[in-house]
Amino acid sequence: MATMAIALGVHHYYKRIGSVFIALSILTGLSRIYLGHHYPFDVIGGFAITYLLYILFNTYIKRLLMNMLSHTKHSIKALFLKLYHGIKLIELSQQPISVQQSYTQGH
């Protein structure tokens, strides 16, 4: 499944190299069957599940995510900046405070 997932991802952006990766993925599956590590239907089922998830993501989930981002009031850059600064604030708040700092802050 993993080799086919990588091959389909590469094929989505680079057709020629992706086609080579798909062929290598199929050869990997055939070698797993030949060596007795998997049954044929295991490999075929893995390829089928990977392909169905690939189609599902590229048709529905990608469209859903794009619609969610297009309806926000902020640009994508602003969303990433808010996320980055939120993470930085969490990191700063988790730093230990010395006894001297806590005493001066309390009075």
Side-chain angles (χ1 to χ4, degrees):
M1 271 178 58
T3 58
M4 184 57 81
I6 293 169
L8 289 173
V10 171
H11 187 265
H12 185 75
Y13 295 102
Y14 306 103
K15 301 293 183 198
R16 186 174 291 169
I17 296 172
S19 298
V20 172
F21 280 13
I22 289 172
L24 289 174
S25 177
I26 292 170
L27 287 175
T28 302
L30 291 174
S31 73
R32 304 296 289 176
I33 295 167
Y34 178 75
L35 294 173
H37 292 289
H38 292 287
Y39 291 109
F41 286 109
D42 292 343
V43 174
I44 293 168
F47 288 162
I49 290 170
T50 303
Y51 186 71
L52 289 174
L53 289 174
Y54 170 77
I55 295 296
L56 178 73
F57 179 79
N58 281 320
T59 55
Y60 298 110
I61 297 173
K62 188 192 259 183
R63 188 179 309 152
L64 177 67
L65 290 173
M66 293 306 287
N67 285 337
M68 286 172 43
L69 287 174
S70 67
H71 293 300
T72 59
K73 294 180 182 179
H74 305 286
S75 68
I76 294 174
K77 183 178 178 182
L79 290 173
F80 282 119
L81 286 175
K82 282 185 177 183
L83 177 64
Y84 174 76
H85 290 298
I87 291 171
K88 283 295 186 186
L89 288 175
I90 291 170
E91 289 174 359
L92 290 175
S93 69
Q94 292 177 353
Q95 292 180 354
I97 298 175
S98 69
V99 175
Q100 181 65 30
Q101 287 175 337
S102 62
Y103 179 75
T104 56
Q105 289 175 357
H107 293 285

